[in-house]
Amino acid sequence: MTTVSAPADAAVELLAAAAAAGQTIVLSGHVQPDADALGSTLALAEGLRRCGARVVTTFPEPFTLPASLGWLPGAGQLVPPRSVPADVDVFVSLDAAAPGRLGDLAALLTTARRSVVVDHHASNPGFGEIRVVEPHAAATVVLVADLLDGLGVELDESLATCLYAGLTADTGSFRFGNTAPGTHELAARLLRTGIDHAAISQQLFDTAPFGWLGLLSAVTGRAVLERDVGAGLVWTWSTAAEAEAHGLAADQLEALVDVVRATAEADVACVLKGQDDGSWSVSLRSRGATDLARVAMALGGGGHRAAAGYTSTGDREGTIAALRQELAR
């Protein structure tokens, strides 16, 4: 477990008081939530409900829950942003590296009476009233576990399932460099609640529709290796329309970069994901030699040293050209 910081103490005090008063607390992860964003949101929300708070959980448009995460406890209570009440006592942002990652829900940072930001991205610029931001944490769920401890909420199988999903996803099943002794200590604590960790991992990493194989074949077949760009770049692309043609939801594109990153000859892996509005969502991964947080921030995004991303409104060739230029710096 991480050491509870002064901001975490302040967040616990605020959330405990709001729950005791039966106030309305809205929690949201970032746009197109992953297991860490959603697991953090659902676990903290359930903990606050047990403390007496009126809780609303949501995430930004497009409000489409990834099939790989719909089984998480509490996912059925998520509501679209348009259903969020106008009168909000406390807004909690989880795993969002910047206000822009909250979409239209970012307005709650100013319209809610109080706000709390819980995040572990190194690129987080600092926003919100109370900021529980710890770049050294392996995942945002690590910080949520500390908040639940501070609130006096006992971890059970339901809460632990949400937390473990985020922890194993953001550490790549404990393979990534962000894994530390405390990461395994938290994992052991979660396992002691009786969670089925094998079933969680199967849902997150080893389950996909048959169409995924066709998409994977097409996307990896057009991958490009550019050894002379930075410490080496491998990249490819796909689109939401291509995913649909294979019978897949657009969120299936998120897993592509973790396949491409295995390329030994390139330090940086990149997947361009074409969106319906013509923009490109860019996912980046590094094998260790490149600070992708710096690269992504220079291109309007953010993230971690080894994993980051951003959105480009240029065309495909312009988008990859801008990335090449930044990697060459």
Side-chain angles (χ1 to χ4, degrees), residues 80-176:
R82 64 179 179 274
S83 298
V84 172
D87 190 25
V88 176
D89 295 300
V90 181
F91 174 58
V92 184
S93 164
L94 295 132
D95 202 43
R101 295 283 284 159
L102 293 168
D104 290 342
L105 289 168
L108 289 172
L109 291 165
T110 54
T111 59
R113 293 179 181 84
R114 308 291 299 273
S115 65
V116 178
V117 172
V118 186
D119 184 38
H120 74 127
H121 290 90
S123 62
N124 191 301
F127 62 98
E129 178 188 354
I130 296 177
R131 303 164 185 171
V132 185
V133 179
E134 179 46 71
H136 297 295
T140 297
V141 291
V142 174
L143 306 177
V144 169
D146 287 337
L147 294 177
L148 291 171
D149 286 343
L151 290 166
V153 177
E154 183 176 353
L155 297 185
D156 59 13
E157 187 175 347
S158 176
L159 292 172
T161 295
C162 292
L163 296 174
Y164 190 85
L167 189 66
T168 190
D170 261 31
T171 60
S173 295
F174 311 103
R175 293 180 293 115
F176 298 164

Side-chain angles (χ1 to χ4, degrees), residues 2-247:
T2 59
T3 300
V4 178
S5 63
D9 284 338
V12 167
E13 182 179 357
L14 169 60
L15 294 172
Q23 293 183 342
T24 299
I25 304 177
V26 173
L27 300 93
S28 175
H30 55 69
V31 65
Q32 296 176 329
D34 56 13
D36 190 26
L38 202 59
S40 295
T41 299
L42 298 177
L44 185 56
E46 177 57 25
L48 289 169
R49 287 191 187 97
R50 296 178 188 181
C51 293
R54 297 172 56 199
V55 175
V56 177
T57 53
T58 187
F59 59 87
E61 296 286 359
F63 188 76
T64 302
L65 186 66
S68 61
L69 300 176
W71 56 273
L72 284 173
Q77 294 175 281
L78 288 158
V79 301
R82 64 179 179 274
S83 298
V84 172
D87 190 25
V88 176
D89 295 300
V90 181
F91 174 58
V92 184
S93 164
L94 295 132
D95 202 43
R101 295 283 284 159
L102 293 168
D104 290 342
L105 289 168
L108 289 172
L109 291 165
T110 54
T111 59
R113 293 179 181 84
R114 308 291 299 273
S115 65
V116 178
V117 172
V118 186
D119 184 38
H120 74 127
H121 290 90
S123 62
N124 191 301
F127 62 98
E129 178 188 354
I130 296 177
R131 303 164 185 171
V132 185
V133 179
E134 179 46 71
H136 297 295
T140 297
V141 291
V142 174
L143 306 177
V144 169
D146 287 337
L147 294 177
L148 291 171
D149 286 343
L151 290 166
V153 177
E154 183 176 353
L155 297 185
D156 59 13
E157 187 175 347
S158 176
L159 292 172
T161 295
C162 292
L163 296 174
Y164 190 85
L167 189 66
T168 190
D170 261 31
T171 60
S173 295
F174 311 103
R175 293 180 293 115
F176 298 164
N178 58 351
T179 302
T183 313
H184 287 295
E185 290 164 7
L186 175 58
R189 184 182 173 200
L190 300 175
L191 288 172
R192 282 193 288 270
T193 67
I195 60 172
D196 188 341
H197 65 92
I200 293 171
S201 295
Q202 185 178 62
Q203 288 275 14
L204 291 176
F205 308 118
D206 298 326
T207 301
F210 180 72
W212 164 252
L213 297 179
L215 176 68
L216 189 61
S217 175
V219 173
T220 56
R222 56 175 171 254
V224 178
L225 175 63
E226 302 187 25
R227 299 171 187 262
D228 59 342
V229 175
L233 168 68
V234 59
W235 68 278
T236 188
W237 61 273
S238 186
T239 65
E242 183 176 41
E244 183 178 356
H246 285 85

